[in-house]
């Protein structure tokens, strides 16, 4: 019996040393799509609405929410930007650890001046980003964002069909979430708070 108890204790000790006695790591329960480890949407090189060159690394230390749209969008873009402003309110003091980026897919009309008026009108902390036609195409390809002109009655009255979702990066600049258009601000704020915790 003594020998049996010694063997039992030895087995228990080995199990603890092997890590079997550790509690399992808890998986974060996101309300949006977890895309951690995605093989694309890693970097961009664009200019912000103040004329400064920007890359993802400039925002390291903050959560980054990146949305592609254009200023003359009739519905999806202003709705998304208004929702993001609501997310910032939901975040309270933690909002200072969040950066919303609006990337235009219409660089022909969305000038630096127009972005400087449009984007901060939703929240003064929001940043508008633009690039040349080539730079815009490069970033859209890297992020697998679809966009295409739809002709209007005149050359300048076209609309732009585009992917309507938001990428979320953690404070290390790693892709973590994809937020579908129409998601409730409370659900987005919930996930951002998880990433900050």
């Amino acid at each position: 019996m003594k020998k049996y108890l010694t063997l039992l204790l030895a087995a228990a000790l080995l199990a603890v040393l092997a890590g079997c006695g550790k509690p399992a790591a808890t998986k974060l329960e996101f309300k949006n799509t977890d895309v951690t480890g995605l093989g694309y949407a890693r970097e961009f090189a664009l200019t912000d609405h103040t004329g400064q060159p920007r890359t993802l690394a400039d925002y390291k230390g903050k959560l980054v929410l990146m949305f592609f749209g254009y200023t003359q969008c009739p519905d999806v873009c202003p709705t998304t930007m208004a929702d993001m402003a609501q997310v910032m309110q939901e975040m309270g003091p933690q909002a200072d650890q969040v950066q919303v980026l609006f990337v235009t897919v219409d660089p022909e009309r969305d000038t630096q001046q127009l972005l400087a008026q449009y984007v901060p009108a939703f929240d003064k902390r929001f940043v508008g980003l633009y690039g040349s036609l080539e730079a815009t195409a490069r970033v859209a390809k890297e992020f697998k964002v679809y966009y295409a002109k739809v002709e209007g009655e005149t050359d300048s009255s076209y609309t732009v069909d585009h992917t309507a979702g938001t990428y979320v990066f953690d404070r290390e600049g790693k892709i973590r979430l994809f937020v579908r258009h129409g998601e409730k601000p409370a659900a987005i704020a919930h996930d951002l708070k998880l990433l900050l915790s």
Side-chain angles (χ1 to χ4, degrees):
M1 182 72 176
K2 197 173 182 182
K3 188 176 178 184
Y4 174 74
L5 284 173
T6 304
L7 286 171
L8 204 59
L9 284 171
L13 183 61
L14 284 172
V16 170
L17 289 174
C20 297
K22 293 179 185 173
T26 55
K27 184 172 173 13
L28 296 177
E29 295 295 328
F30 294 120
K31 295 186 182 294
N32 291 279
T33 307
D34 187 340
V35 292
T36 302
L38 199 65
Y40 58 90
R42 289 166 295 199
E43 188 53 277
F44 64 84
L46 295 165
T47 305
D48 75 16
H49 68 251
T50 70
Q52 294 297 310
R54 293 292 184 185
T55 66
L56 190 57
D58 291 324
Y59 303 103
K60 197 166 185 182
K62 289 188 172 189
L63 300 183
V64 173
L65 283 75
M66 192 169 173
F67 172 74
F68 290 78
Y70 68 112
T71 64
Q72 296 185 48
C73 177
D75 43 30
V76 171
C77 302
T79 302
T80 298
M81 294 298 280
D83 285 346
M84 291 304 163
Q86 181 62 42
V87 168
M88 296 297 268
Q89 288 182 5
E90 297 259 353
M91 293 300 292
Q94 289 182 300
D96 290 335
Q97 298 176 64
V98 177
Q99 181 62 64
V100 173
L101 303 177
F102 175 92
V103 181
T104 183
V105 291
D106 186 13
E108 292 174 277
R109 293 184 299 189
D110 285 347
T111 61
Q112 177 186 331
Q113 293 75 19
L114 187 53
L115 287 168
Q117 292 172 353
Y118 180 84
V119 178
F122 293 95
D123 186 295
K124 64 182 186 340
R125 295 165 289 196
F126 291 2
V127 173
L129 296 171
Y130 68 96
S132 64
L133 289 170
E134 295 78 15
T136 302
R138 255 194 319 275
V139 173
K141 184 177 181 184
E142 169 61 23
F143 282 75
K144 297 200 183 305
V145 167
Y146 166 82
Y147 69 102
K149 275 187 185 181
V150 178
E151 290 183 17
E153 291 180 15
T154 65
D155 288 346
S156 62
S157 67
Y158 60 85
T159 57
V160 183
D161 285 345
H162 62 92
T163 302
T166 302
Y167 288 102
V168 179
F169 298 84
D170 65 20
R171 287 182 284 195
E172 295 300 311
K174 293 185 172 63
I175 188 78
R176 298 301 300 276
L177 300 170
F178 183 77
V179 179
R180 288 185 174 83
H181 171 65
E183 182 59 88
K184 301 289 184 210
I188 301 170
H190 168 274
D191 289 357
L192 298 184
K193 287 174 182 177
L194 277 183
L195 287 172
L196 287 171
S197 64

